[in-house]
Amino acid sequence: MTDRLTAALRGLADGVPAAAVPADLFDTARRRHRGRRAAAAGALAVLVLVLSVGYALRPVALPAPAASRVDAPGLPSRLVAPRPLTASVDGSPPGPAAALFGGPAVRSDWHETRMAVVAAGADRYRRLDAGPASPGFDALLSPDGRHVWAGGRLLDLTTGEHTGVGVQGHPLAFAPDGRRLAYAAEDTFTAPNTYATPYVGLYDRERGADVLRVPVGTAWVPPGRAAVTPDGGTLAIQVRDEVWLTRVADAGADGTAAPYLKLPVGGGRLAGPGAWLPDGQSVAVVSRTTCGRCPGPEPTYRRSWRLVVPTRLTAASFPTVNSATFMQVLGWRSADEAVALVGVPGPDAVNRPDEHDIASSPYHEPGTTAVQVVLLRRGAAAPEVLWRTPDGVTELSVAADLAVEGAVRKAGEPDFGPPPSWLVALGLAGVTLLVGAGAGLVRTRRRRRRARPAGEVASASGG
């Protein structure tokens, strides 16, 4: 290249006007880069949250209960009411339970039918929603604590699975081994206030069908008035002032059988699901009496109970249970030691005649404030209290195996289970909305910054 050409090119370059670079070019580029980065981060966060919601709400197999935190299962020394957001047994099964309980301490205006279960091997509390049912009345816990019978369905507390059994009516008693359940068929009603039980059935869980039906007629069989022998072969039910004994082996082709023996009980009651003595040959009843001034929590509540069994006249009797709203035998340690549930009266309890209650049931007794598990030892001066619910827990069904053993464990910190899936989804949705709102705010501010120079130019040119 010659000197002349070089000089010409330089002159030509010097004559080209200099390029004008906007003063905010680099600031605008930086804001644009930051906005894109924020938008990408927001989109990634939304994607992660959506995937998290889907993962939290995905259908999965129910988890196995956590390992026990105690050396041996038993009734907890301290029973607590479940919190409002306690996990359900369907979504988080607690494992074999020590107790199924209800009452004013468990229910509220928003949870009128709520029941609760506490595990036998740990302080796992779970919520049970089974409709208008009450523990010990419409809902029973099996002797081993694994199953709950309520609303015509059998719930396995170790898996959370429901099994429909097609039984309409209310449960009466589990057999000691839990394989069979006595129930009263759905009531018939005759105006103005007469109820009747068509028949009492004995349902076998393994067969999935009744093995016995006992026609009752016009009487009504209330909860707590039936018992099954340890071998599951004989059913005892109370019909008015008689205890009917019926064998499964006597059932005809249609499954029905008539009682082979009817025992008059006068004003007494069949003792409850544990009424059969250990020999499986005789049943116990409880007699209701009145004391002048009962020793106990409410001396003015003059109702007393005594356990009566067929025995020699010279044998020592069982102690009287004074000032109690009800008594129901759960089982026996021996022929001389029985374990029972006893209702504790409150200041509002009134000792009305036995005929006042259409159910004459051991539960729903007005004025009951708590429930005790007691040991009745023949010849003892008074019953021995093994366990008691806090005030406000007035409906109770316990694992009879634990109660008979007197197994009470030291309570620890209660576990109410994981939060419900709808609450997790609601929280994630809230976070998603916040992230989305933040991203929208960033985009709005960016658009305003972009529009500001154009507005200033327009105003300047107009002036």
Side-chain angles (χ1 to χ4, degrees):
M1 181 181 295
T2 62
D3 294 339
R4 181 181 296 178
L5 180 58
T6 300
L9 292 175
R10 289 179 176 175
L12 182 61
D14 292 339
V16 175
V21 179
D24 61 346
L25 175 65
F26 296 104
D27 292 337
T28 301
R30 188 180 295 109
R31 287 196 300 270
R32 186 178 297 120
H33 174 69
R34 289 177 177 174
R36 290 173 179 172
R37 186 170 58 185
L44 179 61
V46 170
L47 178 62
V48 171
L49 289 173
V50 169
L51 293 177
S52 299
V53 171
Y55 180 81
L57 301 181
R58 75 194 192 285
V60 296
L62 294 170
S68 175
R69 299 198 300 264
V70 295
D71 295 333
L75 296 165
S77 59
R78 177 176 59 91
L79 192 68
V80 301
R83 294 176 178 174
L85 295 180
T86 298
S88 68
V89 295
D90 300 319
S92 179
L100 169 69
F101 60 98
V106 178
R107 296 188 293 265
S108 68
D109 293 340
W110 294 96
H111 305 91
E112 295 179 351
T113 62
R114 182 171 62 174
M115 296 176 279
V117 296
V118 58
D123 288 281
R124 285 188 294 269
Y125 287 84
R126 297 295 184 266
R127 184 187 79 252
L128 176 60
D129 298 315
S134 302
F137 190 84
D138 309 290
L140 295 182
L141 186 64
S142 63
D144 61 1
R146 175 167 178 167
H147 295 94
V148 170
W149 184 289
R153 297 192 301 173
L154 196 65
L155 171 65
D156 190 331
L157 295 175
T158 63
T159 64
E161 296 179 352
H162 287 271
T163 302
V165 295
V167 170
Q168 299 299 323
H170 57 263
L172 296 174
F174 272 99
D177 61 4
R179 292 185 300 175
R180 291 181 173 176
L181 176 78
Y183 70 95
E186 193 169 12
D187 306 331
T188 59
F189 173 73
T190 303
N193 60 354
T194 301
Y195 294 84
T197 299
Y199 64 88
V200 171
L202 186 60
Y203 178 83
D204 190 286
R205 292 197 296 109
E206 295 179 352
R207 298 185 185 183
D210 290 347
V211 294
L212 176 66
R213 289 189 176 185
V214 181
V216 174
T218 59
W220 191 75
V221 180
R225 302 295 181 89
V228 186
T229 52
D231 63 1
T234 306
L235 172 65
I237 58 175
Q238 181 173 353
V239 180
R240 294 193 177 95
D241 284 340
E242 295 179 330
V243 173
W244 294 3
L245 306 182
T246 311
R247 288 183 289 253
V248 174
D250 294 337
D254 59 354
T256 63
Y260 71 87
L261 185 62
K262 296 182 179 181
L263 302 174
V265 293
R269 298 183 180 182
L270 185 68
W276 285 99
L277 270 66
D279 60 7
Q281 301 299 315
S282 54
V283 293
V285 298
V286 292
S287 62
R288 171 174 162 162
T289 58
T290 301
C291 52
R293 185 174 178 84
C294 293
E298 296 294 334
T300 59
Y301 187 79
R302 300 171 55 193
R303 184 183 300 182
S304 296
W305 303 90
R306 182 182 290 276
L307 180 62
V308 180
V309 299
T311 185
R312 297 186 304 273
L313 295 178
T314 56
S317 61
F318 288 92
T320 300
V321 180
N322 291 311
S323 190
T325 56
F326 66 83
M327 188 175 80
Q328 188 182 57
V329 174
L330 297 174
W332 300 76
R333 293 184 180 179
S334 68
D336 295 324
E337 293 182 324
V339 176
L341 291 180
V342 170
V344 179
D348 297 330
V350 178
N351 185 23
R352 297 182 176 89
D354 197 26
E355 294 78 12
H356 84 280
D357 185 3
I358 187 173
S360 298
S361 66
Y363 298 93
H364 292 241
E365 188 68 33
T368 299
T369 190
V371 184
Q372 293 176 337
V373 177
V374 302
L375 173 64
L376 303 172
R377 183 179 291 110
R378 194 189 298 272
E384 177 186 348
V385 177
L386 304 178
W387 188 73
R388 173 181 167 140
T389 68
D391 289 352
V393 175
T394 59
E395 300 159 6
L396 180 69
S397 181
V398 299
D401 292 349
L402 297 178
V404 171
E405 293 176 2
V408 178
R409 59 176 175 80
K410 184 178 180 181
E413 189 68 22
D415 168 24
F416 298 105
S421 57
W422 63 265
L423 182 61
V424 176
L426 183 63
L428 293 176
V431 175
T432 302
L433 290 176
L434 290 176
V435 173
L441 180 62
V442 170
R443 289 194 298 269
T444 300
R445 296 179 66 180
R446 184 177 61 189
R447 286 195 298 268
R448 289 178 178 177
R449 288 178 179 176
R450 288 180 178 177
R452 187 179 304 160
E456 292 177 354
V457 172
S459 61
S461 61

